[in-house]
Amino acid sequence: MSDLLNYILTQEDSFKKNRLPSLYSDFTLQKKTNPDGYAVNVAAWERALTRAARGGYVTTSHSREPISTTGTGVKSDHLILRTDDSLLRALEIPEYGQPVALGAVLDEAIRKHTMVPLQVFKATALRLQKSQWSIINPGVLSPWNVMTWGMKQLRGFVVGADTPETSARLQVQELVLVENLKEAADRAVKQTVGGSQSKMDLVYSRERFTEEFATVLNKNSELSKTDFDVLLLYLSRDIGAIAYDGKTIRFRPSNDSPREITEEDTTIASIKSLMSTMTKQVDRLERKIEELNLTAKVALQKKNRVSVLAAVRSKKLTEHNLKQRLDTLTQLEEVYSRIEHATDHVEYVRVMEASTGVLRGLHTQIGGAERVEDVVEELREEMSKVDEIGNILNEVAPEIDEAELDDEIEELENRERQAREEKEAEETRKKLAELDDLEQKAKEAARAAASEQSVESAIEESIERLSHMSVEEGPGATAQ
């Protein structure tokens, strides 16, 4: 079982065992008799192939590259689907054979623009950011219309004719997977623009871009060269997210960013690429030194002098090369740092110039210091007029005797003080009454206790008398 088929059968819910007979049958016959079932099967195949390609499982005869830049494994097509007999063989199940209606599925995908022939994509600036492309004039002989007509002619029908009730033969072609392309572009833009600290972080050489975003869709597999061609074309031509001249890439964080690659961008990309190469060489030389150390120790244990000397000589030479690489890398980093500072200075000066223009415009609107002084003076005059008007109105108002006001205020204060004293006296009376009640209750309790004590004393005295009487009568009774 191929990796592609294993992924589809284990990861796609639509490919359960009870659904396989329908999915592998010639369900194009259902397009008119059961359109819902036909649409479900087509959507299931489109989704399965798109997701499998995103995971790097679609491996046809020409879609794998043995070289990996990041060491994650072979490169596979993630944005391109190559349709040929090898794809059918990868999807073949012994019990059901090959998917008979796969050609019709791809035709539907092309018609809905979820998949686009690679040659059409390269030749025409298609607006893939929209869910559906709008055809302004169907009669225009655009590359898309011409190729669609030609493909349909090869299959035995023309534009506008009804789809035949038989499965179309699978054509050998390369299709751009639009959903995967959008996803890869969005991730690349967010990763770069969202995490950039300076303008220089937005600049890449083609090699550095390939290394940086090789695993943008899947950490375990890398994009192929064709994938990067399609991705860069989409980013630069269709959505304008980057400026690209074939060698240098610069991300555009806003629409105001330049669309052309400058000499400054090329230089920055070259320095960053060279620094990356030097860093890799330094890592490789450090690993080699460790290996030579281990080789010398093993040879020394075996008392193999010749091998020890050879390992030590190689180590010395490697250390010398490592020192040269480190010196070069240090110089490059210093140059890069100075360029970065200069770039920041340019941006700072640009902001200052813009700020100066804004202030100049505001000052122009204000009219200068003289106009401000005139406005302030006019404001003072108007405020003095308000004061004059207020004084005049106060003169018109009736006169009030201040002595009467003082007497009224004093009377209010006396009333307030009297009310407060009465309230305090009332509270004092209530407290005294409560104390009298408590004292009366205490006296009654004391009298009750004294009465109970006198009763108990009388009882005890009576008991004592009775006991004495019984003792005195006892001997007389015995004598009788």
Side-chain angles (χ1 to χ4, degrees), residues 43-103:
W45 274 112
E46 287 182 13
R47 183 169 56 253
L49 292 175
T50 300
R51 292 180 179 177
R54 183 179 301 179
Y57 295 101
V58 179
T59 54
T60 58
S61 57
H62 301 287
S63 64
R64 296 179 72 88
E65 300 175 14
I67 301 175
S68 174
T69 58
T70 61
T72 57
V74 296
K75 298 181 180 181
S76 301
D77 287 331
H78 296 70
L79 311 181
I80 302 295
L81 178 65
R82 302 175 189 268
T83 60
D84 53 18
D85 292 339
S86 62
L87 177 61
L88 293 175
R89 289 193 297 269
L91 296 171
E92 185 174 0
I93 299 178
E95 185 177 356
Y96 305 107
Q98 297 178 352
V100 180
L102 188 59

Side-chain angles (χ1 to χ4, degrees), residues 389-404:
I389 294 172
N391 294 331
I392 295 173
L393 293 176
N394 290 333
E395 293 177 357
V396 175
E399 294 183 359
I400 299 175
D401 188 359
E402 296 293 337
E404 292 181 0

Side-chain angles (χ1 to χ4, degrees), residues 167-321:
S167 295
R169 177 178 175 80
L170 184 66
Q171 298 295 315
V172 178
Q173 58 182 331
E174 294 176 321
L175 300 176
V176 177
L177 302 174
V178 176
E179 182 179 342
N180 290 357
L181 177 59
K182 290 181 180 180
E183 181 67 21
D186 289 342
R187 292 186 182 184
V189 172
K190 290 179 181 178
Q191 179 179 331
T192 304
V193 177
S196 64
Q197 301 297 326
S198 68
K199 292 180 61 177
M200 296 179 66
D201 295 335
L202 304 176
V203 181
Y204 293 87
S205 63
R206 167 79 187 229
E207 293 75 14
R208 283 286 300 137
F209 184 89
T210 302
E211 295 174 2
E212 183 71 20
F213 302 104
T215 57
V216 68
L217 281 181
N218 191 320
K219 294 181 179 180
N220 298 321
S221 61
E222 300 182 12
L223 300 182
S224 65
K225 181 180 180 300
T226 307
D227 286 338
F228 276 109
D229 292 339
V230 171
L231 178 60
L232 289 170
L233 184 58
Y234 175 69
L235 288 171
S236 61
R237 184 193 66 187
D238 296 329
I239 64 175
I242 64 172
Y244 178 52
D245 64 354
K247 295 181 180 180
T248 305
I249 298 108
R250 188 192 68 253
F251 281 84
R252 303 176 63 245
S254 65
N255 292 329
D256 298 333
S257 302
R259 293 183 174 273
E260 302 296 331
I261 295 295
T262 63
E263 185 177 354
E264 175 188 339
D265 297 329
T266 304
T267 303
I268 293 173
S270 300
I271 293 177
K272 291 178 67 174
S273 180
L274 187 56
M275 288 173 58
S276 177
T277 302
M278 286 295 174
T279 302
K280 292 178 182 178
Q281 291 180 2
V282 167
D283 294 339
R284 179 176 57 81
L285 291 174
E286 288 177 346
R287 289 194 301 269
K288 186 176 181 180
I289 290 173
E290 293 178 358
E291 293 173 358
L292 291 172
N293 276 330
L294 181 59
T295 301
K297 289 179 181 179
V298 173
L300 187 61
Q301 291 175 357
K302 295 180 179 180
K303 298 181 180 180
N304 188 342
R305 180 178 176 79
V306 176
S307 298
V308 172
L309 291 175
V312 171
R313 289 193 188 97
S314 298
K315 177 188 172 184
K316 292 295 183 182
L317 180 60
T318 305
E319 289 176 344
H320 178 70
N321 292 334

Side-chain angles (χ1 to χ4, degrees), residues 427-451:
E427 292 178 353
T428 303
R429 284 194 297 272
K430 289 181 179 179
K431 291 180 180 179
L432 291 174
E434 292 176 357
L435 290 175
D436 292 340
D437 292 341
L438 291 175
E439 185 177 359
Q440 186 67 26
K441 291 179 180 178
K443 290 180 180 181
E444 292 177 357
R447 285 196 297 270
S451 176

Side-chain angles (χ1 to χ4, degrees), residues 107-120:
D107 287 344
E108 290 290 340
I110 294 174
R111 184 180 63 82
K112 294 186 297 184
H113 314 301
T114 56
M115 299 182 187
V116 184
L118 180 59
Q119 296 303 321
V120 175

Side-chain angles (χ1 to χ4, degrees), residues 394-423:
N394 290 333
E395 293 177 357
V396 175
E399 294 183 359
I400 299 175
D401 188 359
E402 296 293 337
E404 292 181 0
L405 292 177
D406 293 338
D407 295 339
E408 186 173 353
I409 293 173
E410 184 178 358
E411 183 179 357
L412 290 174
E413 291 176 349
N414 292 334
R415 291 178 182 176
E416 181 69 20
R417 184 172 55 257
Q418 184 178 358
R420 186 170 60 253
E421 291 175 353
E422 292 178 355
K423 183 177 180 182

